[in-house]
Amino acid sequence: MVALLFKTSLRWRLTLLISGSVVLPMFGTLLIASYQGSQILRKEAEEKLILQANSLAHKVTQWDEKVVQIMNNLSLQPAIQNMYGSEQEPILQAGIAVYPDMYLINTLDTDGFNVARSDRKPLKYYGDRNYFKRAIAGQEVSREILLGRTLDKPAIVFSTPIKQTFYGEKPEIVGVLALAITLTEVTQQVQAIQVGKTGYAFVVDSQGKILAHPHSHQFKALQDFHEYPPVKSLINGRSGLLIFEDSDQNKWVSYSISLPNGWGAIVQQQKSEILTQVNQFWQFSIVLAVGVLIAVSGITWVIATQTIQPIRQLNRAVQLTAQGDLGQSVIAKKQDEIGLLAQSFNAMAHQLKDLFDQLEEKVKERTKELAKANQLITALNHKLTLENGRMEAELLILTEIQNMVLPKPEELQEIEELDIATYIQSATEVGGDYYDILPHPGGITFCIGDVTGHGLESGILMVMTHVAVRTLIESDSHNFIEILNILNKTLYKNIARMNSDKNITLSLINYANFHLIISGQHEEVIIGRANGTLERIDTMDLGLPIGLEEDITPFLNYLTLDLGPGDGVVLYTDGITEARNEAKRMYGIERLCDVLRQSWSHSSEEIKQAVLGDFNQFIGEVALRDDITLVIFKC
């Protein structure tokens, strides 16, 4: 069976020759060299790792003991034990100068409140911190690892009880001394260790979180390494040498040591690098591989001589066929894969010639039909071009009408009792957002609305609403419920006549002498107080979208509230709060409120610019998918 395959199958012929001549000898050679090299270098590499790990453990322990000694010396100072903040502060500031990596020393009373701080910042409450709880419970030295907010690096808070003896009795705990220090020196000790090209050292806490690592992205976020094999072994109480494989299938040799304070020091190096010196054992493999390669080359040359000639003939026939000569055929003398391929090619070439002859006749028929269709398409395209031009002109006219009916800046400046800022931007040529500001004898009416969708229909409905509301306000009708009822009946019938499914959310807000009346359903109305606090008024129970039902009287209601100097109102459409960035995250009402709180002490125009600046930064290069409107006024 094998002899038959060897004669008739090119695949089996090449596979048997190459595997027998190359793979087995080279595999045996490499196996012998790897075994010899690993035996020679294993002991030397293990001893080097142990030496480096012991050195790192000693230095980290010395650093820890030094910080504990500084903290204990401070806690024994009489001024510290007396718990007088004014006397403690100079001592704490002097303590900071002792060690450059310390950034805060503070004292806490037995309830967890600051008594004194080295940085002179406002006193805070730390009674909920674990290091305080352990120290106040009597633990002499407590350590808590945290991620520093200022430097974005791991830091440690050391704490110890402050004790005082009253009338010769047993010392009592009167407070807690806490010392915060970065891990810069520990990180420098880790980075100073060089273990070849792939090896490095790192330090973890008792829970397996990275404290010091030569790669800054590992320790800046206190990454959890408790499942990392050497760390996991250390947590389980087993230190010493360990050979393991990481998630990238790299094999490592590590040595880990448990420190007196519960931390762990680990030094590791890739096993492959440890075996780099095995090159001296590979010389024999290289000489053998070259000899095998020469032999394989001779065998392959003989096989190629037998196989290339018919392949060239077949390739030539394929090229001529591709150029249009469909009368090609190849003589197949052998019954191997190449012979079978030649037979298949001859059958395919004959079928192609028959199909090509039939195709030529069909192409002639289709060409005539396409010529007629092309004439029809040309006429339709000309008609479509004219129609598009007409619609573009109509959209431009409607856009200009929308812009003309918006309040002008000079109109807003004439309203002296209010500081007003407005902004509107359409997602397309014609928008569906609506706002207006209408002074009248009964006050100043602010209108804001949003037609569903955008485009021509939405723009027309917006203009209708604008004209209708202004007409009702100018007719001295200041009853919002009556205005909304009349407006709904009017627009409902117009929408039905247009055969449209559009509707509009609309709120009317009247301001007069620091008094507000709000009616109609739209987005939340945001009330800003002079002290920077915000109130969100839900308008869902104050009305129903205009044009949705013929009679909305049962749903209409109003709400009143008072304003004071410095208070104000923010109106907006959902194009702002529902906008999404490239990550598909929504801008949201909470982010809008955060910007308003931060900028409320400024003028309305400055508040508007702050909101638009934050909004544009949030959405980035994402195009607007809905119209946005913003109206702000302050008393």
Side-chain angles (χ1 to χ4, degrees), residues 228-239:
Y228 196 63
V231 179
K232 186 176 182 179
S233 177
L234 197 60
I235 293 175
N236 292 332
R238 297 188 299 273
S239 58

Side-chain angles (χ1 to χ4, degrees), residues 239-271:
S239 58
L241 281 169
L242 177 67
I243 299 175
F244 66 97
E245 184 173 289
D246 65 12
S247 59
D248 296 326
Q249 298 183 340
N250 295 317
K251 290 186 176 180
W252 296 80
V253 179
S254 71
Y255 189 83
S256 58
I257 299 177
S258 180
L259 305 184
N261 62 2
W263 299 353
I266 299 171
V267 181
Q268 64 182 36
Q269 186 180 17
Q270 283 192 7
K271 187 176 180 180

Side-chain angles (χ1 to χ4, degrees), residues 354-522:
D354 292 341
L355 291 173
F356 188 77
D357 293 341
Q358 297 175 13
L359 184 61
E360 283 185 335
E361 294 298 324
K362 292 182 179 181
V363 167
K364 292 179 182 179
E365 297 176 2
R366 294 291 184 271
T367 301
K368 294 180 182 178
E369 296 175 358
L370 288 174
K372 295 180 181 179
N374 185 57
Q375 293 177 357
L376 178 60
I377 291 172
T378 301
L380 291 174
N381 185 55
H382 177 69
K383 183 177 180 181
L384 182 60
T385 301
L386 295 176
E387 183 67 17
N388 286 341
R390 182 186 64 79
M391 291 190 66
E392 182 177 356
E394 292 176 352
L395 290 174
L396 289 175
I397 292 172
L398 183 56
T399 301
E400 185 64 25
I401 293 173
Q402 286 186 328
N403 293 332
M404 290 172 62
V405 298
L406 290 175
K408 301 297 185 292
E410 52 269 22
E411 296 179 33
L412 302 182
Q413 293 176 0
E414 293 177 358
I415 304 175
E416 298 179 352
E417 63 265 38
L418 294 178
D419 175 18
I420 304 174
T422 63
Y423 181 82
I424 186 168
Q425 181 180 350
S426 299
T428 59
E429 294 88 348
V430 180
D433 276 9
Y434 153 69
Y435 85 91
D436 203 352
I437 302 172
L438 304 170
H440 54 82
I444 303 168
T445 296
F446 291 82
C447 316
I448 187 163
D450 184 4
V451 182
T452 53
H454 43 77
L456 185 59
E457 283 189 13
S458 298
I460 292 174
L461 184 55
M462 178 271 209
V463 173
M464 289 180 183
T465 304
H466 203 116
V467 174
V469 172
R470 188 175 190 105
T471 301
L472 291 169
I473 295 295
E474 293 293 343
S475 65
D476 294 333
S477 177
H478 303 144
N479 185 327
F480 283 174
I481 293 180
E482 180 181 342
I483 290 174
L484 290 172
N485 192 26
I486 296 173
L487 177 65
N488 178 73
K489 291 180 179 179
T490 302
L491 293 183
Y492 180 84
K493 294 179 179 179
N494 278 352
I495 291 171
R497 180 176 292 174
M498 292 165 59
N499 195 24
S500 173
D501 60 351
K502 304 291 184 181
N503 58 76
I504 177 171
T505 60
L506 176 66
S507 285
L508 303 179
I509 299 91
N510 193 73
Y511 170 83
N513 297 325
F514 298 102
H515 185 71
L516 282 184
I517 300 176
I518 304 172
S519 186
Q521 185 188 110
H522 187 58

